[in-house]
Amino acid sequence: MIGQLPQRLLLWFIGLLGIAILTLIVVCVALQIQVPWDMKTLRLSPLKYYRSFSFKSDNSSLESQHSAESKLDTAEELERQSAPQSDEDSSVLQNSASKADPENFKTKKPMPKNETKPTEPDFFGDRYATDDFPSQTNCPNSIRKRVPQTQFAEKFLHTIPVLQWSKHFTPDQYQRLSQYGGAHGWGSVNIEVLKSSLGILNTTANRLMFDDWEKRKKRPQCIRCAVVGNGGILNGSRKGKEIDEHDYVFRVNGAALKGFEKDVGSRTSFYTFSTNTMRNSMRSYARVGYRGPPISKETRYIFLPDHDRDYILMRAASTHTAIDKGPERSKKPPTYFGEDVTVEKFKIYHPDFIRYLRNRFLHSKLLKTGARRIYRPSTGAVMLLAAIHTCDQVDAYGFMTPDYTLYSDHYYDKQRRPVHFYANHDMRMEMRLWQELHQAGLMNIFMRQ
């Protein structure tokens, strides 16, 4: 019995050794299968870091954008994945000089040389139509001649179309501009409304800002413009006479004049507004005498179109026809601009111009927030920058200055009202821009301090 013990231990040892060898073989086989699987995964995994770039159209209206803010995070992510695609000829479009945002195209390996990065997200679209109109004057010291010597040289596009008219409506342009909603494109406008409205803007008066300049018998060498905002800094300024002595006077929104002539003047050459801001001004400032747009032989009306309402109202007023639907519907033609107004009295800012101002001059931090879709330059800012792009000399009055807290919100306020800030505009950024333009010698801004 004792002699058989070593033999049994030997058998147990051999059995355990066999099991160990078998286990080792299984492990080795498993490892041999696993290694090529890992390598295959590593070869394929970078593909998930590429994003597909698609042509994305934004057809949401400005009214619906407020209710859509809760969906902005998803929309922004989709837009960051989108790159602008356009069939436009490069000779018609102005290209952005900016580099691609690396966050828009994430990859774990270098970009092959034969692949190109997108230049910018569809949302911004820093490409524009061109209009190369000769200058209406030979002013030796015009703003355009001074721009190259300033910090605005790279931002400033001399051929950007400030106004849009019948020539600008084409199927290709509609496809391009329908990407952008609100004031920045045609995405909020029905194609038939746009076609019929722009179709009647086919006169010289609709495409030139200063359509009566050549008819003036005593005209100076340079076009001098006064651009008048509604800021409280004008209250008690006694700048009315100085303002009216300019060749042209620009005004905006609730420009109440009666009783305030000594401070703000009485002439209006151009009245800038959107249908929405005009209607709101008529309701809000009736108590100070604002009843609607100023009406005179001199006055031209420049729509800032942020909805199809603007195109519809312009066409109805020009053709003296009633509006059968929408907030302005009535049985009679609109009379905001006088009963005998003609189409030559109307102009409309080009959406490329408004988007260009947002992209290059007023690229606010709000564009990185939930207010991204509703943000645009204020109506007054569009008016002032339009004057800088068309006038030879610009004097600005009634715009926000660094000491704005010393004044009421508007010059016609009966009681002092502090300036309010809203998410759809960046007024502080606009204030800084006015100071920079003033210091660069591209305009003069009225300041009391």
Side-chain angles (χ1 to χ4, degrees):
M1 186 74 179
I2 297 174
Q4 295 179 348
L5 184 60
Q7 187 176 0
R8 291 182 178 180
L9 289 174
L10 180 62
L11 291 174
W12 276 104
F13 176 78
I14 293 173
L16 290 173
L17 182 61
I19 293 172
I21 292 172
L22 181 62
T23 303
L24 181 62
I25 291 171
V26 172
V27 170
C28 289
V29 172
L31 287 174
Q32 288 175 353
I33 295 174
Q34 183 66 33
V35 169
W37 178 263
D38 284 344
M39 292 178 68
K40 183 178 180 182
T41 304
L42 289 172
R43 285 197 298 269
L44 294 177
S45 61
L47 293 178
K48 70 180 181 179
Y49 293 101
Y50 286 95
R51 295 179 176 179
S52 61
F53 294 89
S54 60
F55 185 88
K56 185 175 180 295
S57 181
D58 181 4
N59 295 318
S60 60
S61 69
L62 206 58
E63 281 75 11
S64 66
Q65 288 166 1
H66 292 277
S67 61
E69 284 185 24
S70 59
K71 301 178 181 179
L72 285 182
D73 290 341
T74 302
E76 288 176 359
E77 178 62 20
L78 290 173
E79 286 178 339
R80 281 197 295 269
Q81 297 181 31
S82 302
Q85 298 181 10
S86 174
D87 294 329
E88 293 297 324
D89 188 272
S90 59
S91 63
V92 180
L93 296 176
Q94 303 180 34
N95 294 307
S96 169
S98 61
K99 297 180 180 179
D101 182 354
E103 288 300 311
N104 292 331
F105 200 95
K106 297 180 179 178
T107 179
K108 293 276 183 164
K109 65 179 182 180
M111 180 70 65
K113 291 183 179 180
N114 61 346
E115 294 184 37
T116 57
K117 291 185 179 182
T119 55
E120 70 282 317
D122 278 349
F123 181 82
F124 297 104
D126 198 27
R127 305 180 70 206
Y128 313 98
T130 63
D131 269 343
D132 196 7
F133 287 117
S135 175
Q136 292 185 257
T137 69
N138 293 316
C139 181
N141 193 32
S142 68
I143 292 172
R144 291 184 172 226
K145 291 180 180 178
R146 296 198 299 271
V147 164
Q149 287 76 48
T150 72
Q151 70 268 34
F152 295 97
E154 293 185 2
K155 294 181 180 180
F156 199 98
L157 295 179
H158 293 270
T159 57
I160 187 75
V162 177
L163 303 173
Q164 60 175 325
W165 52 294
S166 58
K167 128 180 169 174
H168 292 112
F169 179 81
T170 66
D172 287 343
Q173 289 295 306
Y174 183 78
Q175 181 181 11
R176 179 178 68 87
L177 286 169
S178 61
Q179 298 180 76
Y180 314 112
H184 305 108
W186 290 340
S188 306
V189 188
N190 177 276
I191 188 170
E192 293 303 323
V193 168
L194 188 68
K195 182 178 181 180
S196 62
S197 298
L198 290 185
I200 67 173
L201 297 179
N202 55 17
T203 71
T204 302
N206 304 131
R207 64 188 180 92
L208 289 178
M209 184 68 78
F210 311 111
D211 56 90
D212 67 336
W213 181 250
E214 283 73 19
K215 299 176 184 178
R216 296 191 176 192
K217 294 181 180 179
K218 296 181 179 180
R219 59 179 184 268
Q221 194 175 13
C222 302
I223 295 176
R224 294 177 60 247
C225 299
V227 185
V228 188
N230 300 326
I233 192 173
L234 281 175
N235 189 294
S237 67
R238 297 299 185 262
K239 287 291 178 178
K241 184 176 182 295
E242 180 180 311
I243 289 171
D244 284 344
E245 287 175 348
H246 287 74
D247 299 310
Y248 295 95
V249 180
F250 290 70
R251 299 190 192 274
V252 63
N253 292 339
L257 302 181
K258 189 174 181 180
F260 305 98
E261 293 88 348
K262 289 184 179 180
D263 290 336
V264 302
S266 58
R267 288 178 53 212
T268 302
S269 310
F270 301 105
Y271 175 72
T272 289
F273 65 105
S274 71
T275 302
N276 186 53
T277 59
M278 179 191 71
R279 293 272 300 236
N280 287 342
S281 295
M282 291 174 68
R283 287 191 292 267
S284 300
Y285 309 127
R287 66 185 185 280
V288 296
Y290 179 79
R291 299 288 184 267
I295 298 175
S296 71
K297 182 179 179 180
E298 176 186 10
T299 306
R300 270 62 168 162
Y301 306 97
I302 312 180
F303 280 86
L304 193 166
D306 56 14
H307 197 270
D308 59 0
R309 294 170 65 187
D310 302 290
Y311 295 93
I312 292 170
L313 176 59
M314 185 279 299
R315 188 176 188 280
S318 300
T319 58
H320 300 279
T321 55
I323 300 175
D324 57 3
K325 60 181 179 180
E328 285 71 52
R329 64 183 179 276
S330 64
K331 295 181 180 179
K332 296 180 179 180
T335 58
Y336 299 114
F337 317 101
E339 295 182 356
D340 59 347
V341 69
T342 63
V343 70
E344 287 80 9
K345 287 269 195 173
F346 293 103
K347 307 176 194 292
I348 299 185
Y349 289 116
H350 198 294
D352 270 352
F353 180 67
I354 301 167
R355 199 173 69 261
Y356 152 78
L357 298 183
R358 181 199 66 184
N359 290 348
R360 296 193 172 208
F361 291 86
L362 291 166
H363 194 89
S364 172
K365 293 180 180 179
L366 290 171
L367 290 167
K368 296 181 180 180
T369 71
R372 165 181 177 149
R373 287 186 175 276
I374 62 172
Y375 169 76
R376 69 164 173 81
S378 69
T379 310
V382 173
M383 173 183 68
L384 179 50
L385 288 165
I388 288 173
H389 280 72
T390 54
C391 304
D392 293 322
Q393 298 171 10
V394 170
D395 295 315
Y397 304 84
F399 284 83
M400 187 178 290
T401 53
D403 60 343
Y404 69 89
T405 56
L406 300 178
Y407 316 108
S408 188
D409 196 3
H410 305 105
Y411 64 80
Y412 42 72
D413 291 337
K414 293 183 177 180
Q415 295 179 341
R416 184 180 175 84
R417 299 174 182 272
V419 176
H420 293 284
F421 299 94
Y422 301 95
N424 59 333
H425 304 311
D426 190 338
M427 303 302 292
R428 291 184 180 88
M429 185 179 190
E430 292 183 8
M431 176 185 69
R432 291 192 296 270
L433 177 61
W434 310 148
Q435 293 297 307
E436 291 171 1
L437 289 165
H438 175 80
Q439 292 164 7
L442 299 181
M443 76 169 191
N444 295 310
I445 185 167
F446 170 63
M447 295 182 282
R448 286 196 167 186
Q449 300 297 318

